[in-house]
Protein backbone atom coordinates (compact mmCIF):
# COMPACT_ATOMS: atom_id res chain seq x y z
CA UNK A 1 0.00 0.00 0.00
CA UNK A 2 1.53 3.27 -1.14
CA UNK A 3 -0.55 5.57 1.06
CA UNK A 4 -1.59 5.83 4.66
CA UNK A 5 -5.39 5.61 5.01
CA UNK A 6 -5.26 7.39 8.37
CA UNK A 7 -3.68 10.43 6.67
CA UNK A 8 -6.27 10.28 3.90
CA UNK A 9 -8.97 9.94 6.55
CA UNK A 10 -7.96 13.19 8.20
CA UNK A 11 -9.03 14.94 4.98
CA UNK A 12 -12.67 13.93 5.61
CA UNK A 13 -14.10 16.06 8.45
CA UNK A 14 -17.33 14.04 8.71
CA UNK A 15 -15.44 10.87 9.67
CA UNK A 16 -14.13 12.37 12.92
CA UNK A 17 -17.49 12.06 14.68
CA UNK A 18 -18.88 9.52 17.11
CA UNK A 19 -22.18 7.73 16.66
CA UNK A 20 -23.88 6.37 19.75
CA UNK A 21 -20.71 7.02 21.70
CA UNK A 22 -18.54 5.00 19.32
CA UNK A 23 -16.22 6.24 16.56
CA UNK A 24 -18.17 6.29 13.30
CA UNK A 25 -17.33 3.35 11.02
CA UNK A 26 -18.76 4.41 7.67
CA UNK A 27 -19.17 1.40 5.39
CA UNK A 28 -21.98 2.64 3.14
CA UNK A 29 -19.75 3.97 0.40
CA UNK A 30 -21.55 2.26 -2.47
CA UNK A 31 -24.59 4.40 -1.58
CA UNK A 32 -22.54 7.58 -1.36
CA UNK A 33 -19.02 8.55 -0.42
CA UNK A 34 -17.93 11.24 2.02
CA UNK A 35 -16.24 14.40 0.74
CA UNK A 36 -12.64 15.45 1.34
CA UNK A 37 -11.71 18.98 2.36
CA UNK A 38 -10.40 19.76 -1.14
CA UNK A 39 -13.86 19.11 -2.61
CA UNK A 40 -15.66 21.01 0.15
CA UNK A 41 -13.24 23.92 -0.37
CA UNK A 42 -13.79 23.87 -4.15
CA UNK A 43 -17.56 24.19 -3.68
CA UNK A 44 -17.20 26.96 -1.12
CA UNK A 45 -14.59 28.80 -3.18
CA UNK A 46 -16.83 28.68 -6.23
CA UNK A 47 -19.61 30.50 -4.38
CA UNK A 48 -17.30 32.84 -2.52
CA UNK A 49 -15.24 33.87 -5.53
CA UNK A 50 -16.68 33.22 -8.99
CA UNK A 51 -20.40 32.37 -8.85
CA UNK A 52 -22.20 33.56 -11.99
CA UNK A 53 -24.25 31.99 -14.76
CA UNK A 54 -22.08 30.59 -17.50
CA UNK A 55 -21.56 30.79 -21.26
CA UNK A 56 -23.28 34.01 -22.29
CA UNK A 57 -21.97 36.52 -19.81
CA UNK A 58 -19.61 39.31 -20.78
CA UNK A 59 -18.63 40.25 -17.25
CA UNK A 60 -15.65 39.07 -15.23
CA UNK A 61 -17.44 36.58 -12.97
CA UNK A 62 -19.36 35.02 -15.86
CA UNK A 63 -16.09 34.49 -17.71
CA UNK A 64 -14.39 33.05 -14.62
CA UNK A 65 -17.28 30.65 -13.90
CA UNK A 66 -17.45 29.59 -17.56
CA UNK A 67 -13.76 28.86 -17.76
CA UNK A 68 -13.79 26.90 -14.48
CA UNK A 69 -16.79 24.86 -15.66
CA UNK A 70 -15.23 24.11 -19.04
CA UNK A 71 -11.87 23.32 -17.40
CA UNK A 72 -13.76 20.76 -15.33
CA UNK A 73 -15.10 19.21 -18.53
CA UNK A 74 -11.57 19.04 -19.94
CA UNK A 75 -10.38 17.32 -16.77
CA UNK A 76 -13.21 14.79 -16.97
CA UNK A 77 -12.33 14.14 -20.61
CA UNK A 78 -8.68 13.50 -19.70
CA UNK A 79 -9.68 11.26 -16.78
CA UNK A 80 -11.85 9.15 -19.11
CA UNK A 81 -9.39 9.38 -22.01
CA UNK A 82 -12.20 10.72 -24.19
CA UNK A 83 -11.15 11.57 -27.75
CA UNK A 84 -13.08 14.85 -27.52
CA UNK A 85 -14.17 16.82 -24.44
CA UNK A 86 -17.49 17.59 -26.20
CA UNK A 87 -18.33 13.93 -25.52
CA UNK A 88 -18.55 14.71 -21.79
CA UNK A 89 -22.13 15.73 -20.99
CA UNK A 90 -22.77 16.96 -17.45
CA UNK A 91 -25.93 15.46 -15.97
CA UNK A 92 -27.43 15.12 -12.50
CA UNK A 93 -26.00 11.60 -12.09
CA UNK A 94 -26.14 8.04 -13.37
CA UNK A 95 -29.94 7.85 -13.33
CA UNK A 96 -30.19 11.09 -15.27
CA UNK A 97 -27.55 9.93 -17.79
CA UNK A 98 -29.32 6.64 -18.46
CA UNK A 99 -32.71 8.33 -18.80
CA UNK A 100 -31.17 10.73 -21.30
CA UNK A 101 -30.03 7.85 -23.53
CA UNK A 102 -33.35 6.00 -23.13
CA UNK A 103 -35.21 9.18 -24.14
CA UNK A 104 -33.29 9.88 -27.36
CA UNK A 105 -33.31 6.36 -28.80
CA UNK A 106 -36.10 5.37 -31.15
CA UNK A 107 -36.90 1.66 -31.18
CA UNK A 108 -39.62 -0.35 -32.88
CA UNK A 109 -41.47 -3.61 -32.27
CA UNK A 110 -39.05 -6.47 -32.90
CA UNK A 111 -36.08 -4.50 -31.53
CA UNK A 112 -34.50 -5.73 -28.30
CA UNK A 113 -32.78 -4.09 -25.34
CA UNK A 114 -30.40 -6.42 -23.52
CA UNK A 115 -29.62 -5.87 -19.85
CA UNK A 116 -28.36 -8.18 -17.09
CA UNK A 117 -29.62 -9.73 -13.88
CA UNK A 118 -27.18 -7.57 -11.90
CA UNK A 119 -28.58 -4.19 -12.88
CA UNK A 120 -29.60 -1.42 -10.51
CA UNK A 121 -33.20 -0.24 -11.00
CA UNK A 122 -31.85 2.83 -12.78
CA UNK A 123 -30.41 0.57 -15.50
CA UNK A 124 -33.67 -1.41 -15.76
CA UNK A 125 -36.65 0.92 -15.50
CA UNK A 126 -35.65 3.50 -18.17
CA UNK A 127 -35.30 0.62 -20.65
CA UNK A 128 -38.65 -0.83 -19.61
CA UNK A 129 -40.19 2.59 -20.22
CA UNK A 130 -38.49 2.78 -23.63
CA UNK A 131 -39.79 -0.70 -24.48
CA UNK A 132 -43.33 0.21 -23.36
CA UNK A 133 -43.21 3.33 -25.50
CA UNK A 134 -41.79 1.67 -28.61
CA UNK A 135 -43.01 -1.93 -28.52
CA UNK A 136 -39.42 -3.20 -28.23
CA UNK A 137 -38.61 -6.19 -25.99
CA UNK A 138 -36.41 -6.27 -22.87
CA UNK A 139 -34.10 -9.29 -22.55
CA UNK A 140 -32.08 -10.15 -19.47
CA UNK A 141 -28.77 -12.01 -19.17
CA UNK A 142 -29.11 -14.35 -16.16
CA UNK A 143 -26.44 -14.82 -13.50
CA UNK A 144 -24.91 -17.86 -11.86
CA UNK A 145 -25.28 -18.67 -8.15
CA UNK A 146 -21.92 -16.99 -7.45
CA UNK A 147 -23.25 -13.67 -8.77
CA UNK A 148 -21.31 -13.70 -12.05
CA UNK A 149 -23.09 -13.30 -15.36
CA UNK A 150 -23.83 -16.33 -17.53
CA UNK A 151 -21.63 -15.47 -20.50
CA UNK A 152 -22.97 -18.31 -22.65
CA UNK A 153 -26.48 -16.96 -22.18
CA UNK A 154 -25.22 -13.45 -22.98
CA UNK A 155 -23.80 -14.59 -26.31
CA UNK A 156 -26.94 -16.59 -27.07
CA UNK A 157 -29.16 -13.57 -26.34
CA UNK A 158 -27.18 -11.20 -28.59
CA UNK A 159 -28.59 -10.98 -32.10
CA UNK A 160 -29.18 -8.57 -34.95
CA UNK A 161 -32.35 -7.56 -33.06
CA UNK A 162 -30.28 -6.25 -30.13
CA UNK A 163 -30.29 -2.48 -30.52
CA UNK A 164 -28.96 -1.52 -27.12
CA UNK A 165 -26.98 -3.48 -24.54
CA UNK A 166 -26.78 -1.96 -21.06
CA UNK A 167 -24.44 -3.50 -18.50
CA UNK A 168 -23.20 -2.48 -15.08
CA UNK A 169 -19.41 -2.55 -14.77
CA UNK A 170 -19.50 -3.36 -11.05
CA UNK A 171 -22.62 -4.62 -9.27
CA UNK A 172 -23.60 -2.34 -6.41
CA UNK A 173 -25.35 -5.24 -4.71
CA UNK A 174 -22.73 -8.03 -4.92
CA UNK A 175 -19.52 -6.28 -6.02
CA UNK A 176 -19.28 -8.50 -9.11
CA UNK A 177 -16.90 -7.00 -11.66
CA UNK A 178 -18.26 -7.76 -15.11
CA UNK A 179 -15.92 -8.35 -18.08
CA UNK A 180 -17.27 -5.24 -19.78
CA UNK A 181 -14.51 -4.97 -22.38
CA UNK A 182 -15.25 -8.43 -23.79
CA UNK A 183 -19.01 -7.98 -23.47
CA UNK A 184 -18.87 -4.60 -25.20
CA UNK A 185 -16.82 -6.04 -28.06
CA UNK A 186 -19.32 -8.89 -28.52
CA UNK A 187 -22.34 -6.55 -28.41
CA UNK A 188 -20.72 -4.14 -30.86
CA UNK A 189 -19.92 -7.04 -33.19
CA UNK A 190 -23.62 -7.93 -33.11
CA UNK A 191 -24.44 -4.36 -34.19
CA UNK A 192 -25.78 -3.16 -30.82
CA UNK A 193 -25.17 0.17 -29.14
CA UNK A 194 -23.61 -0.33 -25.70
CA UNK A 195 -24.13 1.60 -22.47
CA UNK A 196 -21.96 0.90 -19.44
CA UNK A 197 -23.26 1.84 -15.99
CA UNK A 198 -20.04 2.92 -14.32
CA UNK A 199 -21.65 4.21 -11.09
CA UNK A 200 -19.66 1.75 -8.97
CA UNK A 201 -16.65 1.60 -11.28
CA UNK A 202 -15.73 5.29 -11.14
CA UNK A 203 -14.32 5.26 -7.56
CA UNK A 204 -12.47 1.96 -7.94
CA UNK A 205 -11.16 1.64 -11.51
CA UNK A 206 -9.47 3.63 -14.25
CA UNK A 207 -11.95 4.15 -17.06
CA UNK A 208 -10.59 4.56 -20.57
CA UNK A 209 -13.61 5.06 -22.79
CA UNK A 210 -11.61 4.55 -25.97
CA UNK A 211 -10.24 1.21 -24.79
CA UNK A 212 -13.69 0.21 -23.53
CA UNK A 213 -15.28 0.74 -26.93
CA UNK A 214 -18.84 1.36 -25.64
CA UNK A 215 -21.08 4.13 -26.97
CA UNK A 216 -22.21 5.52 -23.62
CA UNK A 217 -20.75 5.52 -20.11
CA UNK A 218 -22.78 6.84 -17.16
CA UNK A 219 -21.71 7.70 -13.63
CA UNK A 220 -22.43 9.92 -10.61
CA UNK A 221 -20.06 12.31 -8.89
CA UNK A 222 -21.24 11.44 -5.39
CA UNK A 223 -19.85 7.89 -5.64
CA UNK A 224 -16.36 9.32 -6.17
CA UNK A 225 -16.06 11.88 -3.35
CA UNK A 226 -17.88 14.69 -5.22
CA UNK A 227 -21.24 16.24 -4.32
CA UNK A 228 -24.67 14.85 -5.19
CA UNK A 229 -26.53 16.29 -8.17
CA UNK A 230 -23.63 16.07 -10.64
CA UNK A 231 -22.76 13.23 -12.97
CA UNK A 232 -21.59 12.46 -16.46
CA UNK A 233 -22.84 10.87 -19.59
CA UNK A 234 -19.91 10.19 -21.86
CA UNK A 235 -21.23 9.52 -25.35
CA UNK A 236 -19.40 8.70 -28.56
CA UNK A 237 -19.52 11.81 -30.71
CA UNK A 238 -20.59 10.11 -33.94
CA UNK A 239 -23.50 8.45 -32.11
CA UNK A 240 -24.69 11.53 -30.19
CA UNK A 241 -24.35 13.81 -33.23
CA UNK A 242 -26.82 11.57 -35.06
CA UNK A 243 -29.35 11.44 -32.21
CA UNK A 244 -32.00 14.09 -31.43
CA UNK A 245 -31.82 16.49 -28.47
CA UNK A 246 -33.58 15.66 -25.20
CA UNK A 247 -34.76 18.48 -22.97
CA UNK A 248 -35.50 21.76 -24.67
CA UNK A 249 -34.58 25.14 -23.27
CA UNK A 250 -31.74 27.60 -22.97
CA UNK A 251 -28.18 26.62 -23.88
CA UNK A 252 -29.16 23.66 -26.11
CA UNK A 253 -30.12 25.92 -29.03
CA UNK A 254 -28.30 27.78 -31.79
CA UNK A 255 -31.22 29.91 -32.88
CA UNK A 256 -34.86 30.09 -31.85
CA UNK A 257 -37.75 31.54 -33.80
CA UNK A 258 -41.38 30.68 -33.26
CA UNK A 259 -41.28 28.84 -36.57
CA UNK A 260 -38.16 26.76 -36.05
CA UNK A 261 -35.31 26.12 -33.62
CA UNK A 262 -31.87 24.90 -34.56
CA UNK A 263 -29.93 22.94 -31.97
CA UNK A 264 -26.52 23.53 -30.45
CA UNK A 265 -23.52 21.26 -30.94
CA UNK A 266 -22.26 18.77 -28.37
CA UNK A 267 -22.02 18.90 -25.43
CA UNK A 268 -24.50 21.80 -25.07
CA UNK A 269 -27.16 20.04 -27.17
CA UNK A 270 -27.78 17.85 -24.11
CA UNK A 271 -27.29 20.48 -21.41
CA UNK A 272 -30.48 22.52 -21.42
CA UNK A 273 -30.84 25.09 -18.65
CA UNK A 274 -28.40 26.32 -16.03
CA UNK A 275 -26.18 23.39 -15.06
CA UNK A 276 -24.74 22.42 -11.69
CA UNK A 277 -21.68 24.61 -12.18
CA UNK A 278 -20.26 24.16 -8.69
CA UNK A 279 -20.88 20.42 -8.90
CA UNK A 280 -18.88 20.06 -12.12
CA UNK A 281 -15.97 21.99 -10.62
CA UNK A 282 -16.13 19.95 -7.40
CA UNK A 283 -16.26 16.70 -9.42
CA UNK A 284 -13.07 17.68 -11.25
CA UNK A 285 -11.50 18.43 -7.86
CA UNK A 286 -12.60 15.01 -6.56
CA UNK A 287 -10.86 13.36 -9.52
CA UNK A 288 -7.70 15.33 -8.70
CA UNK A 289 -7.98 13.98 -5.17
CA UNK A 290 -8.35 10.40 -6.41
CA UNK A 291 -5.56 10.73 -8.95
CA UNK A 292 -3.34 12.33 -6.31
CA UNK A 293 -3.48 9.03 -4.42
CA UNK A 294 -3.66 6.83 -7.51
CA UNK A 295 -6.50 4.55 -8.62
CA UNK A 296 -4.22 1.50 -8.59
CA UNK A 297 -3.26 2.18 -4.97
CA UNK A 298 -6.88 2.82 -4.02
CA UNK A 299 -8.03 -0.41 -5.68
CA UNK A 300 -5.29 -2.39 -3.91
CA UNK A 301 -6.29 -0.91 -0.54
CA UNK A 302 -9.98 -1.59 -1.09
CA UNK A 303 -9.17 -5.12 -2.18
CA UNK A 304 -7.27 -5.64 1.08
CA UNK A 305 -10.30 -4.33 3.04
CA UNK A 306 -12.86 -6.43 1.21
CA UNK A 307 -10.85 -9.64 1.53
CA UNK A 308 -10.31 -9.00 5.24
CA UNK A 309 -14.05 -8.38 5.68
CA UNK A 310 -14.96 -11.48 3.66
CA UNK A 311 -12.61 -13.62 5.74
CA UNK A 312 -13.81 -12.19 9.05
CA UNK A 313 -17.49 -12.48 8.26
CA UNK A 314 -17.18 -15.95 6.73
CA UNK A 315 -15.66 -17.17 10.00
CA UNK A 316 -18.95 -16.36 11.80
CA UNK A 317 -21.56 -19.05 12.16
CA UNK A 318 -24.33 -19.08 9.53
CA UNK A 319 -22.94 -16.28 7.36
CA UNK A 320 -23.40 -16.53 3.61
CA UNK A 321 -21.40 -14.18 1.36
CA UNK A 322 -22.91 -13.17 -1.97
CA UNK A 323 -20.88 -12.45 -5.09
CA UNK A 324 -17.65 -13.94 -6.38
CA UNK A 325 -14.16 -13.76 -4.91
CA UNK A 326 -12.56 -10.77 -6.64
CA UNK A 327 -15.59 -8.59 -5.91
CA UNK A 328 -14.90 -4.86 -5.80
CA UNK A 329 -16.25 -2.13 -3.55
CA UNK A 330 -19.17 -3.94 -1.96
CA UNK A 331 -19.56 -7.09 0.11
CA UNK A 332 -23.09 -8.44 0.63
CA UNK A 333 -23.97 -11.08 3.15
CA UNK A 334 -26.87 -12.85 4.79
CA UNK A 335 -27.00 -14.57 8.18
CA UNK A 336 -29.17 -17.57 8.89
CA UNK A 337 -31.98 -16.73 11.29
CA UNK A 338 -31.17 -12.99 11.34
CA UNK A 339 -33.07 -10.36 9.39
CA UNK A 340 -30.77 -7.90 7.61
CA UNK A 341 -32.78 -4.92 8.84
CA UNK A 342 -32.45 -5.96 12.50
CA UNK A 343 -28.76 -6.54 11.99
CA UNK A 344 -28.23 -3.13 10.38
CA UNK A 345 -30.16 -1.37 13.13
CA UNK A 346 -28.24 -3.12 15.88
CA UNK A 347 -24.77 -2.54 14.46
CA UNK A 348 -25.64 1.14 13.89
CA UNK A 349 -25.96 1.33 17.68
CA UNK A 350 -22.33 0.22 17.76
CA UNK A 351 -21.36 3.03 15.37
CA UNK A 352 -21.16 0.87 12.24
CA UNK A 353 -22.99 2.20 9.16
CA UNK A 354 -23.89 -0.40 6.53
CA UNK A 355 -26.81 -0.67 4.13
CA UNK A 356 -29.50 -3.29 4.34
CA UNK A 357 -32.29 -4.18 1.92
CA UNK A 358 -32.56 -4.77 -1.81
CA UNK A 359 -29.99 -2.12 -2.86
CA UNK A 360 -32.29 -1.04 -5.74
CA UNK A 361 -31.83 -4.50 -7.24
CA UNK A 362 -35.16 -6.19 -6.53
CA UNK A 363 -34.99 -8.57 -9.53
CA UNK A 364 -31.55 -9.73 -8.37
CA UNK A 365 -32.83 -10.32 -4.84
CA UNK A 366 -35.77 -12.28 -6.30
CA UNK A 367 -33.31 -14.42 -8.32
CA UNK A 368 -31.67 -15.43 -5.04
CA UNK A 369 -34.98 -15.87 -3.22
CA UNK A 370 -34.19 -13.15 -0.67
CA UNK A 371 -35.68 -9.77 0.21
CA UNK A 372 -32.32 -8.18 0.83
CA UNK A 373 -28.80 -8.44 2.20
CA UNK A 374 -26.52 -6.57 4.54
CA UNK A 375 -23.91 -4.73 2.50
CA UNK A 376 -20.62 -3.28 3.68
CA UNK A 377 -18.95 -1.12 1.05
CA UNK A 378 -15.50 0.37 1.14
CA UNK A 379 -13.64 3.55 0.23
CA UNK A 380 -10.13 4.92 0.29
CA UNK A 381 -10.48 6.18 3.89
CA UNK A 382 -11.56 2.91 5.46
CA UNK A 383 -9.06 1.00 7.60
CA UNK A 384 -8.38 -2.59 8.58
CA UNK A 385 -9.43 -1.66 12.14
CA UNK A 386 -12.81 -0.57 10.83
CA UNK A 387 -13.24 -3.89 9.07
CA UNK A 388 -12.46 -5.62 12.36
CA UNK A 389 -14.99 -3.37 14.13
CA UNK A 390 -17.59 -4.46 11.56
CA UNK A 391 -16.89 -8.14 12.18
CA UNK A 392 -17.00 -7.71 15.97
CA UNK A 393 -20.25 -5.72 15.72
CA UNK A 394 -21.87 -8.33 13.48
CA UNK A 395 -20.79 -11.15 15.81
CA UNK A 396 -22.23 -9.30 18.82
CA UNK A 397 -25.46 -8.49 17.01
CA UNK A 398 -25.92 -12.09 15.91
CA UNK A 399 -25.43 -13.18 19.54
CA UNK A 400 -28.22 -10.83 20.60
CA UNK A 401 -30.60 -11.52 17.70
CA UNK A 402 -30.42 -15.33 17.67
N1 LIG B 1 -26.20 2.16 -10.99
C1 LIG B 1 -25.49 1.64 -9.98
C2 LIG B 1 -24.68 0.40 -10.21
C3 LIG B 1 -25.52 2.26 -8.73
O1 LIG B 1 -24.82 1.74 -7.72
C4 LIG B 1 -26.28 3.44 -8.56
C5 LIG B 1 -26.36 4.12 -7.20
N2 LIG B 1 -26.61 3.25 -6.13
C6 LIG B 1 -26.99 3.93 -9.64
C7 LIG B 1 -26.91 3.28 -10.84
C8 LIG B 1 -27.81 5.18 -9.54
O2 LIG B 1 -27.00 6.28 -9.26
P1 LIG B 1 -27.64 7.68 -8.86
O3 LIG B 1 -28.65 7.39 -7.78
O4 LIG B 1 -26.48 8.47 -8.37
O5 LIG B 1 -28.27 8.26 -10.08
Amino acid sequence: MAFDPSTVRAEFPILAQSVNGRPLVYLDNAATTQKPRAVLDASRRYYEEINANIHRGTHHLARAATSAHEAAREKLARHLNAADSAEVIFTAGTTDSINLVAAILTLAPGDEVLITALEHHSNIVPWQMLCERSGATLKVVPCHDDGTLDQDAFHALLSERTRLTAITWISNAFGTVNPVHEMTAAAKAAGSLVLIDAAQAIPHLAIDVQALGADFVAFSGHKVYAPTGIGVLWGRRAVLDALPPWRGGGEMIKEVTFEKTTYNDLPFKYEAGTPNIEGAIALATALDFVNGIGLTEIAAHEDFLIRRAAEGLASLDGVHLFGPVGRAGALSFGIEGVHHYDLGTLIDQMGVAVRTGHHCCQPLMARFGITGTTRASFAVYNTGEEVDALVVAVAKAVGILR
Side-chain angles (χ1 to χ4, degrees):
M1 192 200 316
F3 70 96
D4 175 7
S6 60
T7 312
V8 169
R9 217 179 151 71
E11 294 300 312
F12 291 78
I14 201 172
L15 296 175
Q17 67 187 287
S18 295
V19 171
N20 297 318
R22 310 278 186 92
L24 167 65
V25 175
Y26 184 78
L27 298 176
D28 194 18
N29 296 288
T32 201
T33 53
Q34 303 301 347
K35 319 306 171 198
R37 239 180 225 107
V39 169
L40 301 173
D41 289 348
S43 292
R44 166 169 282 274
R45 217 176 310 118
Y46 169 74
Y47 286 115
E48 285 184 347
E49 294 174 12
I50 59 168
N51 173 52
N53 211 333
I54 54 172
H55 292 319
R56 289 166 313 282
T58 47
H59 60 81
H60 168 76
L61 288 183
R63 285 200 309 276
T66 303
S67 68
H69 185 261
E70 293 312 307
R73 195 191 309 278
E74 296 292 332
K75 191 161 281 173
L76 263 293
R78 280 197 300 280
H79 187 79
L80 300 171
N81 192 29
D84 182 342
S85 65
E87 296 180 327
V88 174
I89 318 284
F90 285 120
T91 67
T94 312
T95 305
D96 199 35
S97 298
I98 296 173
N99 275 279
L100 192 171
V101 177
I104 59 178
L105 292 181
T106 304
L107 301 186
D111 289 342
E112 292 177 1
V113 175
L114 183 57
I115 61 171
T116 86
L118 293 173
E119 302 311 318
H120 185 282
H121 294 163
S122 71
N123 204 23
I124 301 173
V125 184
W127 309 121
Q128 284 176 325
M129 292 163 71
L130 171 60
C131 288
E132 270 173 30
R133 209 165 63 231
S134 63
T137 306
L138 190 72
K139 298 273 177 173
V140 184
V141 180
C143 70
H144 297 296
D145 289 345
D146 69 351
T148 59
L149 292 174
D150 180 339
Q151 292 296 331
D152 292 341
F154 168 63
H155 288 282
L157 282 163
L158 269 179
S159 76
E160 73 289 345
R161 292 184 300 281
T162 314
R163 296 286 312 284
L164 188 277
T165 304
I167 310 165
T168 191
W169 193 327
I170 298 178
S171 156
N172 66 303
F174 288 175
T176 311
V177 184
N178 290 319
V180 286
H181 292 83
E182 293 79 357
M183 294 178 79
T184 297
K188 295 294 295 177
S192 171
L193 290 170
V194 176
L195 178 142
I196 300 297
D197 175 349
Q200 295 298 334
I202 191 77
H204 306 298
L205 297 173
I207 297 178
D208 178 335
V209 291
Q210 296 189 69
L212 182 57
D215 300 288
F216 310 104
V217 174
F219 62 87
S220 307
H222 71 96
K223 310 276 190 192
V224 62
Y225 314 109
T228 50
I230 186 74
V232 166
L233 173 70
W234 171 84
R236 185 178 296 287
R237 178 160 209 147
V239 174
L240 285 181
D241 272 341
L243 285 166
W246 182 28
R247 292 176 174 143
E251 205 61 55
M252 53 77 74
I253 54 90
K254 264 193 183 136
E255 200 171 342
V256 179
T257 67
F258 285 123
E259 288 69 40
K260 183 170 172 54
T261 291
T262 50
Y263 302 119
N264 209 339
D265 296 324
L266 288 177
F268 310 114
K269 174 177 157 184
Y270 292 111
E271 292 182 353
T274 302
N276 182 350
I277 307 164
E278 161 250 326
I281 295 166
L283 172 54
T285 307
L287 294 180
D288 279 344
F289 169 80
V290 161
N291 290 324
I293 299 168
L295 272 164
T296 314
E297 286 74 13
I298 293 174
H301 175 59
E302 289 168 345
D303 188 55
F304 153 75
L305 296 173
I306 211 161
R307 284 174 194 275
R308 186 171 175 132
E311 198 178 311
L313 291 167
S315 71
L316 305 179
D317 186 36
V319 168
H320 173 74
L321 303 181
F322 294 96
V325 173
R327 53 178 90 71
L331 173 65
S332 252
F333 58 98
I335 306 180
E336 239 175 79
V338 174
H339 195 276
H340 48 81
Y341 181 80
D342 297 336
L343 180 71
T345 308
L346 209 50
I347 68 173
D348 172 59
Q349 290 173 16
M350 304 176 211
V352 180
V354 294
R355 185 140 301 235
T356 64
H358 54 65
H359 316 296
C360 295
C361 294
Q362 284 182 342
L364 182 65
M365 299 296 120
R367 151 71 177 82
F368 283 83
I370 53 177
T371 56
T373 72
T374 303
R375 181 189 72 185
S377 53
F378 303 91
V380 61
Y381 40 67
N382 291 125
T383 63
E385 292 73 40
E386 288 185 302
V387 169
D388 299 343
L390 164 75
V391 176
V392 168
V394 170
K396 265 194 205 154
V398 170
I400 295 165
L401 291 168
R402 273 223 188 104

